[in-house]
Amino acid sequence: MRLSRPALILGLVALTACGGGKEKAGLATAMAPSRVTTIGVNSYLWRAALDTLSFMPMGQVDSNGGVIVTDWYQNPALPSERMKVTVSILDQDLRADALRVAASREVYQGGRWTESPVQAATVQKLEEVILTKARDLRRTAVAG
């Protein structure tokens, strides 16, 4: 089917009025790459947290609420110690204060697991690793 010249011009005017599509799509990704969400929380933080904790068995994963709770993990090199981690993503923006990490540690003594303190540096390091990965994911997405 061949369009007449007036129909073609009218169609182009209509496309121009609504933004044309390409420019609008480019604008959407450039507008706020730190606030990319198709889930309830920042997707870069979410992906980075899952990647960082992927070696641990998952207990609860809620992408809408932004909560990841691992099951107990025993390092094969230290069988008398186990860790459990909870990551909470609190915002849709990629910011350091949008991430909370909590950890529990137990030591096997006298035939039972006993709660033991977690070094603050351990939680800090986990937060740093997740944030660095999230920033790298964002840089890759913006550059690509």
Side-chain angles (χ1 to χ4, degrees):
M1 179 176 137
R2 190 166 179 168
L3 292 175
S4 68
R5 187 174 178 102
L8 188 57
I9 291 171
L10 186 60
L12 287 174
V13 169
L15 272 177
T16 306
C18 73
K22 270 193 176 180
E23 297 82 17
K24 201 152 188 120
L27 179 65
T29 44
M31 194 164 84
S34 67
R35 192 177 198 148
V36 175
T37 58
T38 55
I39 55 179
V41 295
N42 184 276
S43 61
Y44 299 128
L45 284 172
W46 181 254
R47 183 78 243 157
L50 285 175
D51 288 350
T52 301
L53 300 175
S54 64
F55 68 96
M56 299 179 86
M58 295 294 152
Q60 174 189 352
V61 180
D62 177 10
S63 63
N64 285 322
V67 178
I68 300 169
V69 181
T70 69
D71 207 349
W72 289 104
Y73 170 75
Q74 271 181 274
N75 184 342
L78 295 167
S80 63
E81 186 177 303
R82 66 185 186 175
M83 296 263 317
K84 188 176 194 172
V85 177
T86 301
V87 174
S88 301
I89 300 171
L90 308 170
D91 201 347
Q92 293 182 347
D93 289 326
L94 175 52
R95 299 185 334 225
D97 64 350
L99 177 69
R100 293 281 181 267
V101 176
S104 300
R105 177 176 169 249
E106 291 184 344
V107 178
Y108 195 72
Q109 293 176 329
R112 65 186 189 121
W113 291 101
T114 309
E115 193 172 330
S116 184
V118 177
Q119 293 181 355
T122 303
V123 171
Q124 258 182 328
K125 184 65 179 172
L126 270 172
E127 285 179 351
E128 287 173 20
V129 168
I130 293 169
L131 284 167
T132 300
K133 279 188 181 194
R135 289 178 184 130
D136 289 345
L137 287 169
R138 177 178 173 221
R139 258 185 241 116
T140 302
V142 170

